[in-house]
Amino acid sequence: MSEKVKHTAAFFWESLLHSYSQIFFSLDKVFALVLLFTSFIDPQVGISAMVSGLIAIGVGKGMGFDEKLLREGMYSFNSLMVGMVMAVYYDLSIPFFVMLVFISVLTLFITVGFIGKFSQYGLPIMSVPFLFGVWIVLLVGREFEGLHLTERGIYTINELWWWGGERLVSAYQYIDTLPIPTILDVYLRSLGAIFFQYNLLAGLIILIGLIRFSRIAFVLSLVGFF
């Protein structure tokens, strides 16, 4: 493998990792790996998120956008989040991926526009481009006959059985019914919901990663939640 290929692969990998951690305003690679793993608790959400992030990074690099911002995930994290939402609402199919490419690139351009405008006032773009991307998905999705609303969330146990059999189902049920205070249960599910994973397992994994990344960020998450 040539040095150029290695350099490009390393660039894409680092940019992709930061696309996950940037959601929590972090550039910590270990935390990013934890978040990437969390997104694959629902494999379709994980696949869609990763593909949309790579599309945004690839288009951004091909068009010569700021390499530092690309590497830090600033241009791609909103596209990655839109990819998650698409997988939550729709089944994976060829029309799905056609739409995913379109919305990932469009969200990238919206992000670039907002960064250019907000930077004049020293303001962060946060997840504003993500909101625009999701609104477009929901509006266009109703008219795009190739997209089909998913029923996966209705039959969670069946899906888990398909992916990992009885062991996975048992582990999921054990964790999801842990006898913990209601307020802690809601807090953990809220953490998981950031990555569109509505279960205790996702919340626990993110919590561990958050504490490892920054105890201050963990405390602030509690303050903000309560």
Side-chain angles (χ1 to χ4, degrees):
M1 187 181 293
S2 67
E3 287 300 319
K4 183 177 181 181
V5 172
K6 288 182 180 178
H7 176 77
T8 301
F11 174 83
F12 270 81
W13 175 241
E14 187 175 4
S15 301
L16 180 65
L17 284 179
H18 289 158
S19 300
Y20 288 89
S21 60
Q22 194 65 246
I23 297 172
F24 283 85
F25 311 104
S26 167
L27 294 178
D28 187 284
K29 290 184 176 61
V30 175
F31 187 35
L33 282 170
V34 170
L35 297 176
L36 188 155
F37 173 78
T38 303
S39 71
F40 275 89
I41 291 178
D42 183 334
Q44 294 196 31
V45 170
I47 292 169
S48 181
M50 182 174 286
V51 170
S52 58
L54 288 172
I55 290 170
I57 294 165
V59 172
K61 185 171 179 58
M63 297 189 70
F65 292 161
D66 188 303
E67 190 165 311
K68 180 176 181 294
L69 292 180
L70 271 174
R71 189 180 293 275
E72 291 178 352
M74 286 298 299
Y75 285 143
S76 50
F77 79 92
N78 278 288
S79 293
L80 184 142
M81 292 176 68
V82 173
M84 290 184 189
V85 172
M86 279 199 62
V88 170
Y89 279 99
Y90 303 105
D91 284 322
L92 269 60
S93 61
I94 293 177
F96 173 92
F97 284 105
V98 171
M99 182 65 179
L100 185 65
V101 171
F102 166 76
I103 198 62
S104 298
V105 175
L106 181 58
T107 304
L108 168 65
F109 291 156
I110 294 172
T111 300
V112 172
F114 272 104
I115 287 177
K117 192 66 177 176
F118 280 32
S119 62
Q120 297 176 13
Y121 306 99
L123 298 173
I125 62 168
M126 308 292 280
S127 57
V128 176
F130 159 74
L131 295 177
F132 277 89
V134 170
W135 290 340
I136 293 169
V137 166
L138 297 180
L139 288 171
V140 174
R142 293 183 297 181
E143 306 298 329
F144 193 6
E145 295 181 359
L147 291 177
H148 301 287
L149 291 173
T150 184
E151 298 179 351
R152 291 183 300 110
I154 302 173
Y155 307 106
T156 302
I157 300 299
N158 290 349
E159 295 160 24
L160 290 173
W161 186 280
W162 188 87
W163 284 103
E166 184 177 356
R167 287 187 178 181
L168 182 58
V169 170
S170 298
Y172 174 86
Q173 290 179 323
Y174 174 77
I175 294 173
D176 218 47
T177 56
L178 286 172
I180 59 177
T182 301
I183 194 67
L184 180 57
D185 181 279
V186 176
Y187 169 71
L188 291 174
R189 292 181 190 276
S190 298
L191 280 180
I194 295 173
F195 272 66
F196 306 97
Q197 309 282 347
Y198 307 103
N199 54 73
L200 280 182
L201 177 58
L204 281 169
I205 295 172
I206 292 176
L207 176 63
I208 293 169
L210 188 62
I211 292 173
R212 185 263 170 204
F213 155 61
S214 169
R215 263 71 75 188
I216 294 175
F218 162 63
V219 172
L220 290 176
S221 76
L222 288 175
V223 172
F225 171 78
F226 286 108

